[in-house]
Amino acid sequence: MGSDSEIEKSAQKEREKKKVLALAPIAKPLAGKKLSKRTFKLVRRAAELKCLKRGVKEVVKSIRRGHKGFCVIAGNISPIDVITHVPILCEESDIPYVYVASKEDLANAGATKRPTCCVLVLTKPAKGELSPEDQEKLKGDYDQAVAEVRELTSSMF
């Protein structure tokens, strides 16, 4: 009989497999494990500092208003039509974007219980100012994630 940790590991693998099966075919560039972890860390920090727009409506509105940032889109959205226009908007506005495996993980990182289709990480909050050290931390995480995404997208084409 297997130990509890083995059972736990197999259950974790099953969940991972389900996430991959639920992915939409348009979910490219898809973040790998390392980039996903870094992206969720950035989203978490942005949520704490109130530099995050959540949901398709808010993200689209921000992009149309000319706000710059980093867009993170969930790859397991159904129906996919809900978010198909977001990557196009991002490309037109020269905003880097990446897909992550699940909307639940994205919601967790964004400090909300409701599964989230997409978020836009802004470099500065919509209202008020950040302290210099918070600004520096956010900028560091942001630059690192964006550099990795640009590297990922350049290797795709």
Side-chain angles (χ1 to χ4, degrees):
M1 194 78 179
S3 68
D4 287 344
S5 64
E6 281 180 37
I7 294 168
E8 189 92 358
K9 280 181 185 172
S10 68
Q12 179 70 27
K13 278 188 179 158
E14 276 301 307
R15 283 194 294 271
E16 291 297 320
K17 206 178 278 184
K18 279 182 182 164
K19 281 182 192 175
V20 172
L21 289 174
L23 278 178
I26 67 157
K28 287 177 179 64
L30 181 65
K33 261 188 180 169
K34 200 174 177 185
L35 181 56
S36 287
K37 209 171 187 178
R38 183 163 287 141
T39 304
F40 290 141
K41 182 181 171 193
L42 171 67
V43 171
R44 210 168 288 118
R45 179 160 284 152
E48 287 168 13
L49 301 173
K50 308 263 187 290
C51 297
L52 195 65
K53 297 289 181 187
R54 297 177 187 86
V56 178
K57 268 184 162 178
E58 252 185 82
V59 168
V60 168
K61 199 189 312 176
S62 292
I63 293 172
R64 289 216 170 110
R65 287 185 176 160
H67 295 197
K68 292 290 181 195
F70 175 53
C71 192
V72 184
I73 308 167
N76 65 343
I77 303 301
S78 177
I80 195 66
D81 300 349
V82 174
I83 55 157
T84 48
H85 63 292
V86 176
I88 297 164
L89 271 175
C90 288
E91 284 173 12
E92 285 172 354
S93 303
D94 197 34
I95 293 174
Y97 66 94
V98 71
Y99 285 87
V100 290
S102 96
K103 57 188 175 189
E104 291 80 14
D105 292 346
L106 188 56
N108 261 348
T112 175
K113 288 179 177 69
R114 191 131 177 88
T116 309
C117 293
C118 60
V119 297
L120 183 68
V121 177
L122 303 169
T123 45
K124 43 175 118 24
K127 293 186 183 111
E129 277 297 313
L130 290 177
S131 69
E133 63 260 16
D134 283 344
Q135 180 77 41
E136 197 59 42
K137 283 180 188 169
L138 182 67
K139 191 83 175 114
D141 286 352
Y142 177 88
D143 291 341
Q144 207 171 18
V146 168
E148 269 189 55
V149 168
R150 291 202 194 278
E151 196 177 295
L152 185 67
T153 51
S154 68
S155 67
M156 272 176 41
F157 302 109

